[in-house]
Amino acid sequence: MSQGNVAVTTPTIADQGRRRWVIPLVACLAVFAFPAILDGAPVTGGALTDLIPAVLFDPLAESVPALLPIAKLLLLGVAVAGLLGVRHHARIILGYYAAILVVIALTQNAADLGDRGFALITGNAVGQLIVATMAFIGLRSATDNSTLRRGRLWVTPLMALAWLYPFVLDDGVVRPGLDVFNGAGVTYCMVTPVIAGLLFLRPDGFARTTGLAVGALGVVFGLLNLTTWWIAHPENWWMGVLHVPLFVVSLALAVTSARRAR
C-alpha cells in the first residue's frame, strides 16, 4: 500500500524467515573466515588440522585446575534448573550460556604452546562470541511459560554424555575413561549439547532466532570435530564419539527452530 507518494511495504513471512538466518549464518561463516594464529602468523590447511588438537588438549581454559569442578557443577546446576523448570529458568540458561561462551571463546581457543608460540583459533572464538551476543539479546524475550516436551527426552542421555566427558589421555591418545571433574564446564563442545538440549526440550521459552544460532553453530562445530577425530586423527576415535552429542542435539535444535520460524 502507499501513503501519499511514499510506498510502504509489509515484510512477508518469507522475508522474516530469511532475516532469522542471517546472524546464525554469519556466526558459522566466521569460523572459516578468520585464520588461526600461531606465533603471530596465520595457520591454514594441514597445519591447522595439527594445531587444533594441540590447542584443545592444553587450552588456557584449563590452566587453573581448581576452577574446573566449579565450572562443571555450575553446568549441572543450570541443566537441572532447566529440566525442572524452576523460576526464571529460561533467563538462567541464556545468561549462563552467554557468559560461559565469552570465557570459552577467549580461553578454550587459546594456548601457550611453548617453543611453538602462542596459538589462537580465531574463527572459533569469533563465531562463539557472536552466538554469545545472540544469547544475551535473547534474554529480553525469554519466558518461563514453556512446557517440557516429554517426547524429546531422548536427548537427555546425550546431554549426560557431554557433561560427563569421559576420556583420559594415554600417551597422547584419547581413551575411554572417567575423570569426574574434568574440563567439560569450560569446553564449548560439551557445554553446548547441554544448553542446546534444554532449548530443544523447552522451545517455547526462547526466541526462535536464539535456537537457530545455538543449533546452527553447534552443527558446524560438530561436523568439524567428527571430521577431525574420525578422519584426520582416527587414533583418537573416542573423542569423535564424544562429539556425537554436539552434532545430534544441535541438529535437532536447528531443525526444530527452523520449522518454528516458518
Side-chain angles (χ1 to χ4, degrees), residues 73-86:
L73 289 174
L74 182 59
L75 176 58
L76 178 62
V78 171
V80 171
L83 289 171
L84 296 180
V86 302

Side-chain angles (χ1 to χ4, degrees), residues 7 17 72 81 89 97 164 183:
K72 193 164 185 179
H89 65 271
Y97 194 53
L164 285 171

Side-chain angles (χ1 to χ4, degrees), residues 90-101:
R91 290 182 174 85
I92 291 172
I93 292 168
L94 289 185
Y96 160 81
Y97 194 53
I100 199 65
L101 269 191

